[in-house]
């Protein structure tokens, strides 16, 4: 089912993001995670696409497997980098023939370790080109990525929002944010986006922290602020993974409650292919969610 229709029908909802399992052996445990999180009745689940299109086949096969074995709505991530129109056409036709009708259209990041890579040299330069292409099939609901603190390459947030508006005008039905930890960035972004004429749903992307060191590395790459409050909360647990996970869950609960209290209707979880932390967060906020659903 198209996510654009689901968003029209559901008052509240969650979604889960996965990456394709790296090995054949990893597929069964992966499906267990999917089936555990399925119990929360997500609006949809999405599967990422590796840098430079490196996981095209595994993304597709993972999407097909979830679709075959569950009743979940699925969304495939797709990126411009390294993609040709011919390849995309063939992949999109494959998706159509399997009833996969949701695409997250992204530019993608330059491959790791490649110097002076120009991401705009390909057949699709920016996400907006892919949005346009995918939309031209008249079949897909299309999502785009947005950045509450501005994309790492953007000169400033205002310019980034300007370009985001172009993606929306190209046909995006909804957006999902980059992870953020200070909710004020999300509220500030929404104010500016609405003023700029961006009227599609913008679903906050939530990452319950389990490995603070890795999260900090990724945050500095993608221009996400790690507030002092989190630094302080995590500092005593750098060598104690269980305590760190607990603290990460507590923080994610506070963040989700804040968003829900402030009128957010949908939450998108970066699961990192694990169900435990997300499950704990969802149990903790479920009564709050139910209350808001009445
Ligand atoms: P774009 O919207 O094309 O923007 C890229 C940059 O170009 C921005 O700085 C923007 O301001 C600028 N820009 C846009 N249009 C113009 C223009 N016309 N002229 C000049 N500048 C312009 N990456 C993956 O590889 N695989 C994934 O599965 C994946 N999933 C993601 C899921 C989510 C929810 C998010 C938030 C990100 C994801 N990413 C993924 C990362 C994403 O590919 C990177 O953040 C990438 O650097 C930007 O992608 P974009 O689609 O936002 O690009």
């Amino acid at each position: 089912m198209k996510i654009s229709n689901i968003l029209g029908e559901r008052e509240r909802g969650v979604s889960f993001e996965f990456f394709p399992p790296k090995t054949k052996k990893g597929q069964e445990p992966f499906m267990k995670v999917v089936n555990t999180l399925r119990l929360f009745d997500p609006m949809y689940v999405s599967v990422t696409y590796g840098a430079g299109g490196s996981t095209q086949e595994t993304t597709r096969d993972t999407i097909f497997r979830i679709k075959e074995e569950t009743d979940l709505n699925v969304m495939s991530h797709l990126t411009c980098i390294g993609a040709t129109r011919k390849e995309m056409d063939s992949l999109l036709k494959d998706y159509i023939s399997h009833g996969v009708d949701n695409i997250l259209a992204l530019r993608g990041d330059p491959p790791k370790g490649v110097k002076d890579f120009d991401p705009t040299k390909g057949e699709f330069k920016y996400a907006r080109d892919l949005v346009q292409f995918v939309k031209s099939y008249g079949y897909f609901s299309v999502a785009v990525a947005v950045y509450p603190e501005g994309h790492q390459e953007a000169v400033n947030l205002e310019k980034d929002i300007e370009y985001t508006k172009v993606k929306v005008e190209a046909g995006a039905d909804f957006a999902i944010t980059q992870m953020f930890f200070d909710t004020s960035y999300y509220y500030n972004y929404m104010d500016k986006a609405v003023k700029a004429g961006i009227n599609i749903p913008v679903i906050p992307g939530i990452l319950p922290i389990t490995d603070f060191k890795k999260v900090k590395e990724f945050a500095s790459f993608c221009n996400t602020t790690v507030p002092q409050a989190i630094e302080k909360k995590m500092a005593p647990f750098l060598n104690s993974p269980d305590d760190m996970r607990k603290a990460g869950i507590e923080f994610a609960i506070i963040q989700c409650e804040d968003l829900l209290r402030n009128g957010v209707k949908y939450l998108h979880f970066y699961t990192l292919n694990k169900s435990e932390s997300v499950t704990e967060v969802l149990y903790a906020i479920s009564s709050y969610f139910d209350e808001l659903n009445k």
Side-chain angles (χ1 to χ4, degrees):
M1 185 175 180
K2 287 191 178 60
I3 297 168
S4 48
N5 294 337
I6 300 173
L7 295 173
E9 286 170 10
R10 285 233 206 158
E11 261 307 296
R12 309 270 156 197
V14 293
S15 51
F16 303 123
E17 180 172 314
F18 302 108
F19 52 82
K22 290 194 177 76
T23 60
K24 254 197 155 155
K25 220 174 128 200
Q27 285 177 6
E28 297 316 314
F30 170 75
M31 284 308 294
K32 268 197 180 148
V33 171
V34 172
N35 278 309
T36 302
L37 291 174
R38 196 184 130 260
L39 302 176
F40 291 98
D41 189 24
M43 300 185 292
Y44 65 91
V45 300
S46 76
V47 180
T48 63
Y49 201 73
S54 58
T55 69
Q56 176 168 321
E57 275 178 25
T58 48
T59 300
R60 187 198 54 197
D61 294 349
T62 305
I63 288 276
F64 288 171
R65 179 151 187 201
I66 297 173
K67 193 148 171 63
E68 266 163 32
E69 294 183 17
T70 73
D71 53 0
L72 290 165
N73 290 303
V74 288
M75 174 166 76
S76 174
H77 297 207
L78 286 188
T79 65
C80 300
I81 289 186
T84 63
R85 274 167 199 274
K86 205 168 157 219
E87 275 168 7
M88 282 293 132
D89 175 59
S90 149
L91 181 60
L92 291 172
K93 284 183 176 149
D94 212 2
Y95 279 151
I96 292 172
S97 69
H98 284 78
V100 175
D101 49 6
N102 299 294
I103 300 289
L104 173 54
L106 303 144
R107 188 202 64 187
D109 285 314
K112 263 191 195 146
V114 181
K115 262 193 162 179
D116 302 325
F117 185 88
D118 182 353
T120 66
K121 280 271 154 67
E123 282 192 44
F124 301 99
K125 292 187 192 327
Y126 297 106
R128 58 130 210 247
D129 305 323
L130 195 54
V131 172
Q132 234 163 25
F133 186 71
V134 175
K135 269 285 166 180
S136 71
Y137 288 75
Y139 180 80
F140 298 99
S141 173
V142 175
V144 288
V146 298
Y147 305 84
E149 300 181 54
H151 182 255
Q152 64 265 23
E153 293 160 30
V155 277
N156 56 42
L157 183 58
E158 285 67 26
K159 201 77 197 156
D160 199 33
I161 288 177
E162 217 177 275
Y163 290 135
T164 298
K165 173 114 189 287
V166 178
K167 289 200 277 201
V168 174
E169 285 167 350
D173 296 297
F174 71 104
I176 304 171
T177 77
Q178 181 57 277
M179 65 174 191
F180 59 91
F181 299 109
D182 179 342
T183 49
S184 68
Y185 286 112
Y186 176 80
Y187 304 134
N188 175 51
Y189 182 86
M190 290 311 296
D191 275 351
K192 290 194 159 136
V194 169
K195 276 187 193 130
I198 295 173
N199 298 314
I200 55 172
V202 176
I203 306 181
I206 308 295
L207 176 71
I209 298 173
T210 48
D211 182 338
F212 188 51
K213 196 168 159 245
K214 274 205 185 136
V215 167
K216 264 181 81 169
E217 264 170 37
F218 186 57
S220 82
F221 165 76
C222 68
N223 195 32
T224 293
T225 302
V226 178
Q228 276 299 314
I230 299 193
E231 290 270 2
K232 255 181 143 171
K233 200 174 170 86
M234 295 296 174
F237 307 132
L238 293 178
N239 295 313
S240 170
D242 284 348
D243 291 325
M244 176 175 291
R245 202 178 74 83
K246 244 168 102 185
I249 290 167
E250 273 169 24
F251 185 83
I253 293 169
I254 292 169
Q255 190 185 9
C256 292
E257 285 179 345
D258 186 283
L259 290 164
L260 294 170
R261 226 182 6 255
N262 281 283
V264 166
K265 294 162 72 173
Y266 312 112
L267 298 169
H268 178 83
F269 286 91
Y270 294 110
T271 69
L272 305 181
N273 287 9
K274 300 226 163 29
S275 59
E276 295 82 2
S277 297
V278 175
T279 297
E280 287 189 44
V281 173
L282 285 174
Y283 276 132
I285 62 170
S286 62
S287 58
Y288 199 75
F289 231 78
D290 291 345
E291 197 53 38
L292 290 169
N293 260 335
K294 279 181 192 160

